[in-house]
Amino acid sequence: MSGVEPGPDAGGSASPVAAESFRRVHPVTPLLRSGLVVVAVGTLLVRQLLEGADASTLFVVPVAVVGALVLGAASWWFTRFRISPSELRIDSGVLVRRQRRMRIERIQAVEVEQPLLARLFGMAELRIEVAAGEGGTLAYLTLRDAESLRHTLLEQAGTASPADHSDPQMPAAVVTLFRVDDSRLLAATLLRTDVLTPALGAVAGVVATLLLGRVGGVAIVVPLALATVGVAWKGYTTGFGTTLTRAERGLRLRAGLLDVRTQSVPTGRVQGLVVVEPLLWRWFGWARVDVTVAGAGSGEDEHGTGVLVPVAQRREVDALLPLVLDGADPRQVVLDPAPRRARWVDPVGAGVLGVGLGDRLLVTRRGVLTRRTDVVPLPKPQSVHVAQGPVQRLLRLASVQVHLPPGPVGPQGAHRDAAAAWALATSVTAWRTRPDRSPPAGAAEGDDLAVAGG
């Protein structure tokens, strides 16, 4: 790996496995970091010149370049990392020194990302996620070094699989499960609600401007048009080329047009998944799959790490889910509808509501305009909450909320029969004490399932 510097083994006892010496990231890192600063400064200057600013302000560019290079070089010099048998240590900081120590056995995910500028130079950054703690980032390394370091960390943490190996002699062990149709992705992106809403607003603004003859409507049309293009561009470029592969012990996701990300999805750490079907997508039989993975961030951004499949035919999704859920098939779980009296509190959505409890899975369904089917392996819930409002009490109804680690999956059993709601919560809780099951893979230390009522 480039940028190797021998250094003292500060703070650590002798080990049968020798710890690596301190290393630095690639020497081109200051250039990449300063390049981002120059782009930002250049964009600001162009804007100022277009608004009539003095051209003499152009001297800011060389000053910004020199300053960024100096700061980048200093940051590069003081940033170093080392892998020992028990921990990954990252030292950084110029004026304020910072030291991060991540225990190897608590590393849950190591991802390789290639922002556009880094990708042009064949560089990548490494993002490390740690259970119940702060992770770290190493930027930038050559792509080959990043992949090699990623495999080393996962192998020492005991979560590596053949799909994580960078050795070109091993591709036979990797099976491609899904590859997105990029033309379908483009069409699906344009049919998204958050794209159509500002687009229709912009069209309405143009029509109003033409009919009323007032140019003031342009002030509304332009922001809406920019919002439409921005959301559509982000959705398409992020999901472009999505490829999901599986090897012996996990999944690997690779996606992105400009910024390419490579993400590990250990199936044992999958806390749940959700199949999302917007109204217009259902006309074409399309769906999206989001996933919550322990230790892989919040996953709240649907264009971010929570997206497993950006768009696919529903039959493709149905065939893929058992592979993600270690053989459990949500189609085998029968969903019980909400009682008819639930229509008094939810006249529109009550007909869609459904909850099913199988041998290994909890499945819930809800949503009229955007239908979502949440699927949770039964060992994974952290707590179950039963709520009953005043109107629900009159109708003998209650709602069940199942809590998981932060992420896009949020199973809800809304407006169930009160007795059935409590029975469901009790059944989910009982999984933690069943003698015929082992502790759930990926469970954080101290996890305990509890039922709360309100």
Side-chain angles (χ1 to χ4, degrees):
M1 185 173 292
S2 57
V4 176
E5 178 198 348
D9 186 10
S13 59
S15 170
V17 182
E20 295 188 5
S21 301
F22 276 106
R23 315 182 196 184
R24 289 194 176 94
V25 294
H26 198 279
V28 80
T29 297
L31 294 176
L32 293 176
R33 293 192 184 280
S34 61
L36 296 176
V37 174
V38 172
V39 169
V41 172
T43 302
L44 180 61
L45 284 178
V46 170
R47 180 179 176 181
Q48 290 180 341
L49 291 175
L50 292 176
E51 293 175 354
D54 191 346
S56 62
T57 57
L58 289 175
F59 81 92
V60 174
V61 174
V63 172
V65 172
V66 174
L69 284 174
V70 171
L71 291 176
S75 177
W76 170 79
W77 179 259
F78 287 104
T79 300
R80 59 183 189 171
F81 66 96
R82 183 184 64 188
I83 302 175
S84 74
S86 61
E87 69 175 12
L88 167 64
R89 172 177 165 180
I90 302 177
D91 296 344
S92 61
V94 180
L95 300 179
V96 179
R97 299 291 291 156
R98 185 181 184 188
Q99 184 181 106
R100 280 170 291 181
R101 294 173 178 264
M102 291 164 275
R103 296 195 62 81
I104 294 295
E105 70 269 14
R106 297 190 66 81
I107 292 178
Q108 294 192 329
V110 183
E111 317 303 348
V112 177
E113 297 187 4
Q114 286 187 284
L116 177 59
L117 189 58
R119 187 181 178 189
L120 295 176
F121 285 83
M123 297 287 118
E125 64 181 26
L126 212 61
R127 295 186 179 272
I128 302 100
E129 296 281 353
V130 182
E134 182 182 5
T137 301
L138 289 173
Y140 291 93
L141 305 164
T142 65
L143 179 59
R144 182 182 182 86
D145 286 347
E147 291 281 3
S148 176
L149 183 58
R150 173 179 178 272
H151 177 71
T152 298
L153 290 172
L154 292 177
E155 189 174 54
Q156 289 190 218
T159 59
S161 72
D164 297 320
H165 207 288
S166 57
D167 189 345
Q169 301 299 321
M170 300 188 67
V174 179
V175 177
T176 299
L177 302 179
F178 171 78
R179 182 176 288 109
V180 72
D181 183 328
D182 292 318
S183 59
R184 180 187 298 155
L185 175 64
L186 177 60
T189 301
L190 296 177
L191 292 177
R192 291 166 52 98
T193 303
D194 53 358
V195 173
L196 285 178
T197 300
L200 293 176
V203 171
V206 170
V207 173
T209 299
L210 295 176
L211 293 179
L212 299 177
R214 297 179 181 178
V215 295
V218 176
I220 299 176
V221 172
V222 173
L224 290 175
L226 292 176
T228 301
V229 174
V231 174
W233 174 256
K234 183 179 180 181
Y236 181 70
T237 57
T238 304
F240 182 88
T242 296
T243 303
L244 185 67
T245 58
R246 179 167 189 174
E248 182 182 350
R249 286 179 286 175
L251 305 177
R252 192 170 185 188
L253 180 68
R254 181 178 175 85
L257 177 60
L258 302 180
D259 296 347
V260 178
R261 73 183 191 279
T262 303
Q263 178 182 358
S264 296
V265 186
T267 53
R269 297 194 184 276
V270 172
Q271 307 298 295
L273 55 84
V274 54
V275 180
V276 182
E277 301 173 275
L279 176 62
L280 295 180
W281 287 22
R282 294 204 297 271
W283 293 353
F284 300 95
W286 298 342
R288 185 182 81 240
V289 181
D290 297 345
V291 65
T292 295
V293 180
S298 66
E300 292 177 354
D301 180 2
E302 66 181 1
H303 299 306
T305 58
V307 179
L308 189 68
V309 174
V311 63
Q313 290 288 346
R314 183 56 198 258
R315 63 177 181 272
E316 295 178 281
V317 170
D318 289 339
L320 180 64
L321 295 190
L323 302 177
V324 180
L325 297 168
D326 290 329
D329 191 347
R331 291 174 295 180
Q332 304 300 321
V333 179
V334 179
L335 299 185
D336 296 325
R340 294 183 61 86
R341 57 184 183 276
R343 297 181 184 274
W344 289 101
V345 288
D346 190 359
V348 177
V352 179
L353 299 176
V355 175
L357 187 64
D359 292 336
R360 298 172 59 188
L361 300 174
L362 169 69
V363 182
T364 69
R365 183 184 63 208
R366 70 183 192 273
V368 177
L369 296 181
T370 298
R371 183 170 301 166
R372 52 179 294 145
T373 304
D374 294 84
V375 182
V376 180
L378 283 175
K380 304 301 183 179
Q382 294 182 331
S383 65
V384 182
H385 184 84
V386 179
Q388 191 176 44
V391 177
Q392 287 181 313
R393 282 197 292 270
L394 291 174
L395 296 171
R396 304 187 313 281
L397 299 174
S399 297
V400 181
Q401 174 74 54
V402 178
H403 299 287
L404 297 171
V409 184
Q412 296 180 17
H415 311 310
R416 313 302 302 172
D417 177 83
W422 280 105
L424 174 66
T426 303
S427 297
V428 173
T429 307
W431 258 84
R432 284 290 172 127
T433 57
R434 279 181 51 169
D436 60 339
R437 55 168 297 271
S438 57
E445 292 182 4
D447 274 1
D448 190 18
L449 189 63
V451 178

